[in-house]
Amino acid sequence: MDKVSIVVPHLVPLLGVLVLGWSAGAFLVLGLFQLSFSIMSIGVVGVAASTKREKPDVTDAGWADRIGGWVALGAIAVIGSLVLTALFGWVVAIISEHVEGALFHRGLLASAVAMMLAALPGLSRQYKADLAANLGEEARKSRDQPRVGLLFMSCGAYFLLAGYAGGFGRTGLCVMAILVTALSILRDWKPELAQFLFPYPRPSASLAKRRDAGSKRRGHRK
């Protein structure tokens, strides 16, 4: 299921191009939204796991409060994703307006929703894994920051690609969509690539010991 949640969101824009005949602008906008949602999801999962670890009494509240908390985090992820998509995708919208015509349509919105729903199982498993691993703040940064850096670099690549994708022609667009999708799946399938490209220092043993000691002192005070 983890692999399915990685692959399916990337296939949605690709199928839009190959099956539904979408334009390069639609493919790039959906790809940017998927990247933005991945970036925001990393932060949301980290906040949720840290809150559960540091303040278990907050997340052990009633069902209504717990659902409300998750809805609020989901809203933050969606709004943040839209903001990041706009920051990197404005050039796509401008070029599409002059080259392809209208960019946004109902199918684009439905596809974005489908991509988010397909990613939820993987996010849920990541949240549970973080709780089970009991990762501290530095350990989580060591794991997540290289991946976030690679995702931002991918957003920049989409930004640059927008200037050329409109001139590829139909065959070139299909080939470009297949190659970009394959690289995107590889990036998310092999997270160790991010650590290789963007090395982030792991927390030292002394720092980990001080953090654990601090957690124990807080537990004693409670």
Side-chain angles (χ1 to χ4, degrees):
M1 288 301 298
D2 287 341
K3 303 305 181 184
V4 170
S5 66
I6 290 174
V7 173
V8 171
H10 294 295
L11 293 182
V12 173
L14 178 62
L15 292 177
V17 171
L18 299 181
V19 179
L20 301 178
W22 285 357
S23 65
F27 174 80
L28 292 174
V29 165
L30 274 181
L32 283 170
F33 180 80
Q34 195 275 333
L35 289 169
S36 301
F37 185 72
S38 297
I39 293 171
M40 295 302 302
S41 296
I42 291 173
V44 165
V45 170
V47 169
S50 296
T51 302
K52 179 70 174 179
R53 181 172 177 265
E54 300 293 337
K55 299 179 180 179
D57 54 318
V58 174
T59 52
D60 288 338
W63 280 105
D65 293 335
R66 295 174 64 182
I67 292 175
W70 282 111
V71 169
L73 289 176
I76 292 172
V78 172
I79 294 173
S81 300
L82 292 173
V83 171
L84 285 177
T85 302
L87 289 175
F88 285 99
W90 62 268
V91 66
V92 178
I94 292 176
I95 293 175
S96 296
E97 182 69 23
H98 292 285
V99 177
E100 302 165 351
L103 174 62
F104 300 100
H105 49 81
R106 292 182 179 179
L108 210 63
L109 176 60
S111 299
V113 174
M115 293 165 70
M116 290 188 290
L117 293 177
L120 288 181
L123 297 178
S124 175
R125 285 173 175 78
Q126 184 63 62
Y127 170 71
K128 294 177 181 178
D130 283 358
L131 290 181
N134 198 26
L135 293 176
E137 193 67 26
E138 290 299 321
R140 187 175 292 109
K141 286 182 180 179
S142 178
R143 184 198 65 190
D144 290 342
Q145 285 199 1
R147 185 184 172 197
V148 172
L150 186 56
L151 290 171
F152 270 112
M153 188 177 75
S154 300
C155 289
Y158 273 62
F159 183 89
L160 296 176
L161 188 61
Y164 305 94
F168 286 165
R170 189 64 203 169
T171 301
L173 172 59
C174 293
V175 173
M176 181 271 290
I178 292 172
L179 292 177
V180 169
T181 301
L183 290 174
S184 299
I185 292 175
L186 176 64
R187 179 198 62 226
D188 294 343
W189 194 290
K190 296 291 186 180
E192 59 270 19
L193 292 176
Q195 184 67 43
F196 175 77
L197 294 173
F198 297 92
Y200 187 82
R202 297 183 180 277
S204 62
S206 59
L207 178 60
K209 290 180 180 179
R210 290 198 300 270
R211 185 184 62 244
D212 293 339
S215 299
K216 290 180 181 179
R217 286 196 297 270
R218 288 194 295 270
H220 288 319
R221 285 198 296 269
K222 291 180 180 178

